[in-house]
Amino acid sequence: MPGLLHLVTCAATPLRRIGELLDQLVAARWEVQVIATPAAATWPFLTGVRATTGRPVLHRMPLPDEPWPVTAAAAVLVAPATFNTINKVAAGVNDNLAVGVLNEHLGGPVPVVMAAHVKPELRAHPAFARSRRFLTEAGVVFTDLGHPLDWTQTVAALDPHR
């Protein structure tokens, strides 16, 4: 069994088809814990996650009297990974549960894959190239979500890490 996969989701168009990604991950025998950015947590496309994964969507830091909701993972996948989240993680910003989980894994032994969904105008921004280069040097594996959307390359990027 591959183990537990932290699937960090960001608010971008591919989130509409997150069910397809979850189906592929479950078929690949991953146990999946979805951790949504605050913006992604407001999107209705995550409503079926618990039925597929058996786990609730995590989206906020626990209150002081609540247990830490995130358990150890075998791998981390960010899909879709937005301009905002990629740059936040590269800069070490730790302002929500999703980026906090990513920051905790950056440079460590747990593999991290980011499936970038960034429009051309933002790909041209100097911060994006700098962030992507920095994260790649820290061990992050990048895939790009194209059009038409196909999760196959993203799921395949997890294979070497099993």
Side-chain angles (χ1 to χ4, degrees):
M1 191 92 178
L4 181 64
L5 174 72
H6 287 164
L7 172 58
V8 174
T9 60
C10 303
T13 307
L15 188 59
R16 295 173 187 228
R17 294 177 47 195
I18 197 71
E20 295 170 22
L21 174 58
L22 289 172
D23 289 344
Q24 288 184 35
L25 292 169
V26 170
R29 300 181 52 202
W30 286 101
E31 294 176 51
V32 182
Q33 173 64 69
V34 174
I35 304 167
T37 64
T42 67
W43 287 31
F45 310 104
L46 297 175
T47 56
V49 166
R50 185 179 214 136
T52 302
T53 66
R55 299 169 185 268
V57 175
L58 303 178
H59 61 88
R60 65 171 179 81
M61 297 296 283
L63 297 173
D65 60 340
E66 294 176 329
W68 185 250
V70 181
T71 57
V76 178
L77 170 61
V78 188
T82 59
F83 175 83
N84 191 42
T85 295
I86 291 166
N87 287 319
K88 276 186 174 187
V89 174
V93 174
N94 210 49
D95 65 350
N96 65 66
L97 180 63
V99 296
V101 166
L102 293 170
N103 282 321
E104 288 176 0
H105 289 93
L106 193 62
V110 174
V112 177
V113 174
M114 289 189 170
H117 182 75
V118 178
K119 64 184 180 176
E121 296 85 356
L122 293 176
R123 281 184 182 274
H125 191 288
F128 181 73
R130 188 171 47 245
S131 294
R132 188 163 172 155
R133 186 171 45 256
F134 175 81
L135 292 171
T136 300
E137 290 170 2
V140 174
V141 173
F142 276 90
T143 65
D144 291 303
L145 295 178
H147 185 75
L149 179 62
D150 182 359
W151 297 111
T152 307
Q153 180 187 14
T154 299
V155 174
L158 293 167
D159 282 343
H161 306 304
R162 289 192 189 177

